[in-house]
Short mmCIF file of all heavy atoms in Angstrom, two decimals:
data_model
loop_
_atom_site.label_atom_id
_atom_site.label_comp_id
_atom_site.label_asym_id
_atom_site.label_seq_id
_atom_site.Cartn_x
_atom_site.Cartn_y
_atom_site.Cartn_z
N THR A 311 96.73 -28.73 -22.04
CA THR A 311 95.57 -29.18 -22.80
C THR A 311 96.05 -30.08 -23.92
O THR A 311 97.03 -29.78 -24.61
CB THR A 311 94.80 -27.98 -23.37
OG1 THR A 311 95.69 -27.20 -24.18
CG2 THR A 311 94.26 -27.10 -22.25
N VAL A 327 107.15 -37.57 -12.34
CA VAL A 327 107.28 -38.79 -11.55
C VAL A 327 107.06 -39.99 -12.46
O VAL A 327 106.76 -39.84 -13.66
CB VAL A 327 106.25 -38.81 -10.39
CG1 VAL A 327 106.47 -37.63 -9.45
CG2 VAL A 327 104.82 -38.81 -10.93
N VAL A 332 102.20 -42.40 -9.87
CA VAL A 332 100.85 -41.89 -10.10
C VAL A 332 99.82 -42.93 -9.66
O VAL A 332 98.82 -42.62 -9.01
CB VAL A 332 100.64 -41.51 -11.58
CG1 VAL A 332 99.20 -41.05 -11.80
CG2 VAL A 332 101.61 -40.43 -12.00
N ALA A 340 100.18 -47.42 -1.40
CA ALA A 340 101.48 -47.27 -0.75
C ALA A 340 101.71 -45.80 -0.46
O ALA A 340 101.11 -44.91 -1.07
CB ALA A 340 102.60 -47.82 -1.65
N ARG A 372 89.00 -56.21 -6.04
CA ARG A 372 87.70 -56.78 -6.39
C ARG A 372 87.66 -57.19 -7.86
O ARG A 372 86.72 -57.84 -8.29
CB ARG A 372 86.59 -55.76 -6.11
CG ARG A 372 86.32 -55.50 -4.65
CD ARG A 372 85.04 -54.72 -4.45
NE ARG A 372 85.08 -53.44 -5.14
CZ ARG A 372 85.50 -52.31 -4.58
NH1 ARG A 372 85.94 -52.31 -3.34
NH2 ARG A 372 85.49 -51.18 -5.27
N SER A 373 88.65 -56.79 -8.62
CA SER A 373 88.65 -57.10 -10.05
C SER A 373 88.75 -58.59 -10.28
O SER A 373 89.40 -59.32 -9.54
CB SER A 373 89.81 -56.39 -10.74
OG SER A 373 89.90 -56.82 -12.08
N ILE A 378 98.18 -60.02 -19.04
CA ILE A 378 99.42 -60.67 -19.46
C ILE A 378 100.20 -59.64 -20.26
O ILE A 378 99.65 -59.04 -21.20
CB ILE A 378 99.16 -61.90 -20.34
CG1 ILE A 378 98.33 -62.94 -19.59
CG2 ILE A 378 100.49 -62.52 -20.80
CD1 ILE A 378 97.88 -64.10 -20.47
N ARG A 385 105.20 -66.29 -31.26
CA ARG A 385 106.24 -67.31 -31.16
C ARG A 385 105.76 -68.46 -30.30
O ARG A 385 105.00 -68.27 -29.35
CB ARG A 385 107.53 -66.72 -30.57
CG ARG A 385 108.22 -65.73 -31.48
CD ARG A 385 109.62 -65.39 -30.96
NE ARG A 385 110.06 -64.14 -31.54
CZ ARG A 385 110.25 -63.01 -30.87
NH1 ARG A 385 110.09 -63.00 -29.56
NH2 ARG A 385 110.64 -61.93 -31.48
N ARG A 393 98.72 -69.29 -23.30
CA ARG A 393 97.61 -70.25 -23.22
C ARG A 393 97.49 -70.83 -21.82
O ARG A 393 96.38 -70.97 -21.28
CB ARG A 393 97.83 -71.38 -24.24
CG ARG A 393 96.73 -72.45 -24.20
CD ARG A 393 96.90 -73.46 -25.32
NE ARG A 393 98.06 -74.30 -25.14
CZ ARG A 393 98.05 -75.43 -24.40
NH1 ARG A 393 96.96 -75.79 -23.76
NH2 ARG A 393 99.14 -76.16 -24.32
N LEU A 427 97.55 -50.15 -16.50
CA LEU A 427 97.01 -49.43 -15.35
C LEU A 427 95.69 -48.74 -15.65
O LEU A 427 94.96 -48.36 -14.73
CB LEU A 427 98.04 -48.43 -14.84
CG LEU A 427 99.34 -49.05 -14.30
CD1 LEU A 427 100.28 -47.97 -13.80
CD2 LEU A 427 99.05 -50.06 -13.19
N ALA A 478 120.24 -77.14 -20.65
CA ALA A 478 121.27 -76.83 -21.64
C ALA A 478 122.57 -77.57 -21.33
O ALA A 478 123.25 -78.07 -22.24
CB ALA A 478 121.51 -75.32 -21.68
N ALA A 559 117.64 -74.26 -34.83
CA ALA A 559 118.25 -75.53 -35.24
C ALA A 559 117.78 -75.95 -36.63
O ALA A 559 118.58 -76.42 -37.45
CB ALA A 559 117.92 -76.62 -34.21
N PHE A 567 122.76 -78.60 -44.81
CA PHE A 567 122.35 -79.48 -45.92
C PHE A 567 122.65 -78.83 -47.27
O PHE A 567 123.19 -79.48 -48.19
CB PHE A 567 120.86 -79.79 -45.80
CG PHE A 567 120.31 -80.61 -46.92
CD1 PHE A 567 120.48 -81.99 -46.95
CD2 PHE A 567 119.62 -80.00 -47.97
CE1 PHE A 567 119.97 -82.75 -48.00
CE2 PHE A 567 119.12 -80.75 -49.02
CZ PHE A 567 119.29 -82.12 -49.04
N PRO A 586 106.45 -78.12 -31.77
CA PRO A 586 105.61 -79.18 -32.35
C PRO A 586 106.17 -79.80 -33.63
O PRO A 586 105.86 -80.97 -33.93
CB PRO A 586 104.28 -78.46 -32.62
CG PRO A 586 104.23 -77.38 -31.60
CD PRO A 586 105.65 -76.93 -31.44
N ARG A 607 100.70 -71.94 -16.11
CA ARG A 607 99.80 -72.38 -15.04
C ARG A 607 100.43 -72.17 -13.66
O ARG A 607 99.76 -71.75 -12.71
CB ARG A 607 99.40 -73.83 -15.25
CG ARG A 607 98.44 -74.04 -16.42
CD ARG A 607 97.91 -75.44 -16.49
NE ARG A 607 98.88 -76.37 -17.05
CZ ARG A 607 98.99 -76.65 -18.35
NH1 ARG A 607 98.19 -76.05 -19.22
NH2 ARG A 607 99.88 -77.52 -18.79
N LEU A 613 100.06 -65.99 -8.81
CA LEU A 613 99.33 -64.72 -8.79
C LEU A 613 98.03 -64.86 -8.01
O LEU A 613 97.65 -63.98 -7.24
CB LEU A 613 99.05 -64.25 -10.21
CG LEU A 613 98.37 -62.88 -10.33
CD1 LEU A 613 99.21 -61.79 -9.68
CD2 LEU A 613 98.09 -62.54 -11.79
#
Side-chain angles (χ1 to χ4, degrees):
T311 57
V327 299
V332 177
R372 290 192 301 268
S373 173
I378 301 172
R385 292 191 200 113
R393 179 173 69 85
L427 297 181
F567 177 80
R607 288 188 282 270
L613 184 59

